[in-house]
Amino acid sequence: MNFGAGLGEGGWDDDGALRAALGRTAEGLGLDLPESDREWGRLAEYVDAKSGRRVMVYPPGERRRTFQVILKDNGTPLACGWTADLAEAVRATAAWTGGAGLEETRARAQFIRFRPWALDHEREPFGVVELTWRVKLDRIHMPPYDRHPRAHAALAAAYAQPVLRQLMPVNSHFNLWFSPRVEEFWKTRVGPIICPYDEGLYGVRNKSRLVARTETPEEAVAFVVAALPEELGPAS
């Protein structure tokens, strides 16, 4: 596909250029798209208010010469894909906002990808804590998070511990800590913080105080588990 076809001199940098191109393509295919939820910037975003499904379409950029499409369900990213074909992006958008499931959407737009947990969640929704874990663990497959394997390793090591898996994982600047709260989880922390980029090691800190530095994420997680209060229940 010619990425500049039908665009002004500014290409995809023009406000609304992508939405206009998607609209023309949808009309040519005889497909309906919901109203765009964005009125500015390069991003085109569509939402079905009734179901809470959302599609975000990003134009090609300097790093990637393809359109990026992300499918969300009530704020949870379940699938994504990259395609050089604007018609394929339209088909995925129309299918998802029109009520198609993950497998049906992929059948209509084969560039769409999702992992088994998303299909499991679609069939039988996870609770909020488990869903939070799955989404965070899945980020390793998405830029820019795919450039931070140490942060992912700390998250994966924590998920392997049942006592931590029942808590809400919280991240900030790639650091990881845990909350016993489902709502406003950022206000309450239990146990130390894991810092995956602490002088080339995995740091374990209690607020600003360094507790330990370890070579592996599993060792750092072990320090956190040992510091947890007894009879700690699931996040609520």
Side-chain angles (χ1 to χ4, degrees):
M1 173 179 177
N2 180 0
F3 290 115
L7 300 178
E9 294 182 358
W12 299 117
D13 291 329
D14 291 348
D15 256 16
L18 178 57
R19 291 189 295 278
L22 287 164
R24 290 192 299 269
T25 303
E27 184 177 357
L29 293 171
L31 296 174
D32 292 326
L33 298 180
E35 290 294 325
S36 175
D37 202 35
R38 295 267 180 161
E39 298 301 331
W40 52 269
R42 303 170 72 225
L43 167 68
E45 191 167 353
Y46 301 90
V47 61
D48 178 64
K50 185 179 296 184
S51 67
R53 289 184 169 196
R54 185 179 298 268
V55 177
M56 303 168 72
V57 184
Y58 295 86
E62 293 181 0
R63 293 187 176 182
R64 191 183 295 272
R65 297 294 298 165
T66 52
F67 301 97
Q68 180 185 10
V69 180
I70 300 175
L71 310 183
K72 292 187 176 184
D73 184 10
N74 289 293
T76 300
L78 295 182
C80 67
W82 292 263
T83 178
D85 189 345
L86 190 60
E88 285 290 281
V90 167
R91 291 188 184 97
T93 301
W96 185 247
T97 58
L102 288 169
E103 291 181 313
E104 184 180 352
T105 299
R106 183 169 60 185
R108 298 187 194 178
Q110 296 185 7
F111 73 96
I112 290 296
R113 295 290 181 266
F114 50 85
R115 272 156 287 282
W117 74 265
L119 202 58
D120 292 340
H121 174 66
E122 183 178 64
R123 292 167 177 165
E124 187 174 349
F126 296 132
V128 62
V129 174
E130 180 66 15
L131 183 59
T132 301
W133 276 103
R134 296 300 185 104
V135 170
K136 286 181 178 291
L137 286 165
D138 206 43
R139 287 178 176 175
I140 190 65
H141 303 288
M142 291 282 291
Y145 304 101
D146 55 352
R147 299 197 296 270
H148 300 281
R150 291 180 64 87
H152 175 76
L155 193 69
Y159 183 72
Q161 294 293 328
V163 68
L164 294 179
R165 194 161 61 238
Q166 68 179 343
L167 302 173
M168 286 288 284
V170 188
N171 295 102
S172 177
H173 297 84
F174 305 110
N175 299 327
L176 172 65
W177 69 94
F178 309 92
S179 174
R181 299 270 304 273
V182 170
E183 296 183 0
E184 297 186 326
F185 46 82
W186 59 89
K187 292 184 178 181
T188 307
R189 176 175 60 85
V190 59
I193 300 172
I194 298 175
C195 306
Y197 295 101
D198 198 330
E199 297 186 8
L201 299 172
Y202 290 88
V204 183
R205 295 180 175 274
N206 188 354
K207 296 183 179 180
S208 61
R209 183 174 65 87
L210 179 66
V211 176
R213 285 196 180 101
T214 70
E215 293 186 355
T216 69
E218 289 79 12
E219 291 173 309
V221 166
F223 274 98
V224 174
V225 171
L228 293 176
E230 295 183 3
E231 300 181 358
L232 182 66
S236 59

